[in-house]
Amino acid sequence: MTKTVTALFREDFYLSTCEASVTGILEDGGIELDQTCFYATSGGQPGDSGFLERSDGSRIDIAVARHGATKDVIIHMPAEGQPAPAVGEKLVLHIDWPRRYRLMRMHTACHLLSVVCPFPITGAAVGEDESRVDFDMSETIDKDEVTAALQKLIDENHPVYLQWITDEELASNPGIVKSKNVRPPVGLGRVSLVCIGENSAIDSQPCGGTHVSETQEVGAIHIAKIEKKGKENRRFRIRFGTADDRQAI
């Protein structure tokens, strides 16, 4: 039987380590814990990788964290050949912080892109080096102009923070959902709104992913390509670095 877990990352995106106790081991080797700082794959953002440190100093490498049958279940999937801990064993969790931080920067950039391009979102995938956002749009748009507008929002260093609303409040305000295909993270009784700018002046939308606390942390970024994916669908590919150097930072 899978067990609910306290998802510490929902309250602190910068928490990279924590202590936890093993509450279950699944048939496929998945490890359940009473609490975790590992983000589970969801909403286009990959789950965290990292390791679990045992009391003797040895480690259990985690390939990815994923959800179970519901969003309140998080399962830590070990890399191949890793030892299994015992139920009740106490561990220290360590996420791969450099990887997570890149994903946080990228995910925040995707939110800013939805401000620059205010069209319904039909798909998205956050990556360490490149992300994509698909928009329901038929307009022709210049990628350099989009890059300049995106970088301007980043450089203005707007605050990024969470506000919480109930599932009922979200249901009564469907217009705040920008995505046409991705369902907001409901079912836990409350929904996190990612807000950008003082008093949400820049943006506010439901999202369960992880983000930086101010836009300048995103750093240099550019639109590498805009692809036509159908009559009314455009795919924007976002990469770190400037369009000139094209180097990840």
Side-chain angles (χ1 to χ4, degrees):
M1 177 180 177
T2 54
K3 301 173 180 66
T4 59
V5 58
T6 300
L8 300 173
F9 60 81
R10 291 195 179 112
E11 302 293 342
D12 184 358
F13 297 150
Y14 290 82
L15 184 66
S16 63
T17 184
C18 71
E19 296 181 349
S21 296
V22 179
T23 58
I25 304 294
L26 304 182
E27 289 185 3
D28 61 1
I31 300 168
E32 295 181 306
L33 304 165
D34 62 342
Q35 62 179 15
T36 186
C37 54
F38 277 67
Y39 177 81
T41 302
S42 183
Q45 180 175 330
D48 284 326
S49 57
F51 67 93
L52 313 179
E53 182 182 357
R54 310 181 82 172
S55 60
D56 63 359
S58 63
R59 53 192 275 175
I60 301 168
D61 291 331
I62 299 298
V64 70
R66 62 173 177 81
H67 284 293
T70 60
K71 293 289 187 180
D72 57 357
V73 175
I74 295 176
I75 300 167
H76 306 74
M77 296 302 302
E80 187 175 353
Q82 296 300 295
V87 173
E89 185 174 344
K90 295 187 182 301
L91 304 166
V92 179
L93 285 57
H94 302 266
I95 66 172
D96 180 342
W97 173 248
R99 176 177 179 269
R100 157 74 88 78
Y101 190 55
R102 288 179 73 85
L103 292 170
M104 287 167 57
R105 292 165 60 205
M106 268 292 194
H107 202 153
T108 306
C110 290
H111 280 250
L112 293 171
L113 178 59
S114 75
V115 174
V116 174
C117 298
F119 302 95
I121 297 171
T122 57
V126 181
E128 298 171 58
D129 300 308
E130 178 182 284
S131 296
R132 66 168 177 81
V133 182
D134 298 347
F135 293 99
D136 182 358
M137 59 181 288
S138 56
E139 289 83 350
T140 299
I141 194 166
D142 183 80
K143 63 183 177 68
D144 293 333
E145 291 181 2
V146 175
T147 293
L150 187 58
Q151 194 65 53
K152 180 176 183 293
L153 285 173
I154 292 168
D155 294 342
E156 287 171 348
N157 200 25
H158 299 283
V160 183
Y161 56 96
L162 289 187
Q163 288 184 342
W164 294 92
I165 61 173
T166 65
D167 288 355
E168 292 74 19
E169 287 174 319
L170 176 63
S172 64
N173 292 278
I176 65 176
V177 180
K178 293 187 177 183
S179 175
K180 293 180 66 175
N181 300 330
V182 178
R183 187 168 176 260
V186 297
L188 299 175
R190 62 176 188 163
V191 177
S192 57
L193 295 181
V194 175
C195 304
I196 303 176
E198 297 291 343
N199 300 313
S200 306
I202 303 300
D203 192 37
S204 175
Q205 59 180 293
C207 182
T210 61
H211 308 82
V212 294
S213 63
E214 50 189 19
T215 59
Q216 74 173 9
E217 290 183 61
V218 173
I221 208 156
H222 67 281
I223 303 301
K225 185 183 297 185
I226 301 176
E227 302 169 299
K228 186 175 181 179
K229 295 291 183 179
K231 185 178 179 180
E232 296 185 352
N233 197 57
R234 298 293 183 272
R235 174 167 295 174
F236 289 65
R237 295 194 178 276
I238 315 172
R239 295 176 185 166
F240 283 126
T242 67
D244 293 329
D245 60 37
R246 299 188 184 278
Q247 294 179 352
I249 60 173

